Amino acid sequence: INIHPYDPIIDLLLSEGYASVSLLEDKFSFSKEKAYYILEDLEFYELVSDEDELGIRDILFEDKEEAYELFNQ
């Protein structure tokens, strides 16, 4: 089975219901720069929204299947 490198991040976002740099920093011990890069990547694939004034991003997918469909478009 082929597991996407962002699989644990997709799981986290589905369980938390939002995305932010601080969430990825806290849960995965990523640097601020790495967390920001990942979220920008997810935004490019339309999995998350742009960040609001508080740095929160909306999740734009309902489940893993939809997330992987967006990656493959």
Side-chain angles (χ1 to χ4, degrees):
I1 186 165
N2 189 10
I3 296 178
H4 195 278
Y6 288 166
D7 195 63
I9 296 165
I10 298 298
D11 285 338
L12 175 67
L13 301 185
L14 284 169
S15 70
E16 296 293 328
Y18 74 98
S20 71
V21 168
S22 60
L23 178 65
L24 297 187
E25 283 180 295
D26 293 345
K27 297 293 184 176
F28 295 108
S29 302
F30 290 157
S31 67
K32 185 173 285 189
E33 293 77 16
K34 181 174 181 175
Y36 184 79
Y37 173 84
I38 290 169
L39 293 178
E40 287 292 296
D41 202 29
L42 293 178
E43 183 183 347
F44 174 82
Y45 287 103
E46 300 181 357
L47 273 77
V48 300
S49 69
D50 191 17
E51 60 186 11
D52 68 13
E53 63 278 357
L54 300 175
I56 304 297
R57 297 169 184 258
D58 294 324
I59 307 299
L60 304 177
F61 59 96
E62 298 285 325
D63 53 36
K64 275 187 169 182
E65 184 178 338
E66 184 180 359
Y68 295 129
E69 286 173 11
L70 290 167
F71 276 126
N72 291 321
Q73 285 185 357

